[in-house]
Amino acid sequence: MSARENIAKNLIEQLTNMTDPAPGLVSRKYFDVTKLAITQFPAILLITANETREDISTDLREGNIQYQLRCYLRGTELDTLRNEIIERIEETVETDRSRNIDYNINNIHNVTTRVASIELIQRELPLAEVVVNLDVVYRYKKGNV
């Protein structure tokens, strides 16, 4: 399994286990937010985005993968709901910045995760959307990703 896939699966697992607020839906498959049941909010869509790679040495490379967490919220106190989901995601990501990757399989090491930016998307009430952009930097031996 690729490093990108390992990291994405780990993020899904960590986000699924969040509490207060606990997401009703965490997925990598696109969904129509307007058709979600009230019990499925907050909902999080994880999208693997761009990746850059560069040589560190003759046999070592560094990759920087960007992930988008599209968070959909529903309610009356949308500003509070946005702040709560952002804080919970930051805490979840900070709990295990190394993404708990099995290093032996892919020769991956020095994995770090950080919240790069946060975007607020305007939606028709009672919905709100927040995009939390993550950067995951990792190093690997050439030919093993």
Side-chain angles (χ1 to χ4, degrees), residues 30-118:
Y30 286 92
F31 51 82
D32 184 349
V33 67
T34 61
K35 295 183 179 176
L36 294 180
I38 291 174
T39 57
Q40 292 179 292
F41 287 94
I44 302 173
L45 174 64
L46 183 137
I47 301 169
T48 305
N50 299 323
E51 180 175 7
T52 58
R53 295 181 178 183
E54 65 179 281
D55 291 334
I56 301 299
S57 67
T58 55
D59 66 340
L60 193 63
R61 298 193 84 192
E62 182 174 86
N64 182 346
I65 306 173
Q66 297 170 339
Y67 292 92
Q68 284 187 347
L69 303 179
R70 301 190 79 85
C71 306
Y72 301 98
L73 309 159
R74 182 183 176 112
T76 55
E77 297 181 20
L78 293 175
D79 191 50
T80 299
L81 293 172
R82 282 191 288 254
N83 291 337
E84 287 174 351
I85 196 78
I86 291 166
E87 181 180 4
R88 186 62 58 228
I89 288 171
E90 285 177 321
E91 290 172 356
T92 299
V93 168
E94 291 293 323
T95 299
D96 184 4
R97 294 179 67 156
S98 71
R99 302 282 40 97
N100 196 24
I101 301 299
D102 186 348
Y103 300 121
N104 295 329
I105 293 175
N106 293 311
N107 291 321
I108 300 169
H109 59 282
N110 293 342
V111 179
T112 56
T113 307
R114 71 178 184 90
V115 174
S117 64
I118 296 166

